[in-house]
């Protein structure tokens, strides 16, 4: 039995070594932090506009096989903001967004220009808290969206260094969100279980969003890159006779790493 076990392990090892080179994956991993302005309106909490400053964390992973035009992308985005109104009221806003999707790639201009198109699935959880409200001081935010996405990247040389300019645009097609109805309290929803159209199907007309990510990469080493950029996320909704928008503008800085993995490393 022990001999058969060794032969089996040897056969598996030979099979892994015999895998073609194109079974490897190229992984691009980026980690960035940012700071910038936030604008909030939530008529469930207040009719006032709130403006302030927020911070963001953005982590992106993209995987692609050399023999495939398709890539898989994942993005983790976290935001936290503190905003004030003209009447010295304060609102705190926080959200976590997870994006997962597939992109198809076209290489143009001898590989200098890369165009990608596909779609992202976006799941978001967050809150808005009004420090002045005694009754219903907080609003929960939750939605699930399908977002058509396009990416353009251009590689160029400047001062004997390699730079990559990249622009990513995502727009909502359809989704579903949570919202209390006009005049409905959270006590009615969660304690009494009174459902009143709280799960709402959304489209670009009822919940428009404009997510822009513009970055510039400057190579430090062959695998390590400095990345600076701008992230603008314009989220709006008008459901259940309530209006909400959260507009965030962030200037980002971070590091990008690019490396390859193969089954031989497993």
């Amino acid at each position: 039995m022990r001999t058969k076990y060794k032969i089996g392990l040897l056969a598996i090892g030979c099979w892994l070594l015999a895998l073609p080179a194109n079974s490897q994956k190229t992984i691009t991993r980026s980690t960035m932090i940012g700071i910038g302005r936030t604008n909030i309106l939530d008529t469930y909490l207040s009719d006032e506009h709130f403006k302030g400053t927020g911070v963001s964390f953005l982590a992106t992973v993209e995987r692609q096989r050399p023999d495939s035009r398709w890539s898989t992308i994942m993005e983790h985005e976290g935001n936290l903001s503190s905003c004030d109104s003209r009447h010295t009221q304060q609102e705190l806003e926080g959200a976590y967004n997870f994006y997962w999707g597939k992109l198809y790639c076209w290489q143009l201009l001898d590989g200098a220009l890369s165009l990608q198109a596909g779609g992202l699935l976006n799941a978001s959880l967050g809150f808005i808290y009004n420090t002045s409200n005694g009754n219903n001081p907080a609003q929960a935010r939750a939605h699930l969206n399908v977002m058509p996405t396009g990416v353009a990247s251009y590689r160029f040389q400047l001062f004997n260094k390699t730079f990559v300019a990249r622009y990513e645009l995502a727009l909502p097609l359809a989704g579903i969100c949570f919202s209390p109805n006009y005049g409905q309290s959270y006590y009615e929803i969660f304690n009494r279980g009174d459902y009143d159209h709280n799960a709402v199907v959304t489209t670009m007309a009822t919940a428009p969003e404009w997510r822009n990510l513009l970055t510039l990469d400057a190579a430090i080493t062959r695998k390590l890159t400095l990345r600076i950029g701008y992230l603008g996320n314009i989220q709006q909704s008008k459901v259940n006779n309530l209006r909400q928008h959260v507009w965030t503008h962030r200037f980002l800085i971070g590091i990008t790493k690019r490396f390859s993995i193969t089954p031989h490393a497993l």
Side-chain angles (χ1 to χ4, degrees), residues 60-96:
T60 303
V61 178
E62 186 171 359
R63 296 183 175 93
Q64 185 173 16
R65 296 181 184 274
D67 61 339
S68 174
R69 290 182 177 268
W70 286 97
S71 64
T72 301
I73 186 169
M74 291 186 294
E75 295 184 350
H76 301 269
E77 179 188 336
N79 297 296
L80 187 62
S81 301
S82 176
C83 299
D84 300 311
S85 73
R86 57 181 177 173
H87 299 302
T88 69
Q89 293 179 318
Q90 184 182 41
E91 283 189 346
L92 303 177
E93 181 272 336
Y96 165 74

Side-chain angles (χ1 to χ4, degrees), residues 113-148:
L113 177 63
S114 172
L115 300 178
Q116 295 172 279
L120 296 176
L121 183 65
N122 167 223
S124 178
L125 289 173
F127 69 91
I128 301 174
Y129 176 70
N130 189 305
T131 61
S132 301
N133 284 7
N135 188 28
N136 289 337
Q139 168 75 302
R141 302 175 62 209
H143 69 246
L144 184 67
N145 277 337
V146 176
M147 306 183 72

Side-chain angles (χ1 to χ4, degrees), residues 94-110:
Y96 165 74
N97 285 275
F98 174 71
Y99 301 88
W100 180 92
K102 291 283 189 177
L103 300 174
Y104 188 84
C105 181
W106 294 269
Q107 296 288 345
L108 306 172
L109 303 180
D110 294 328

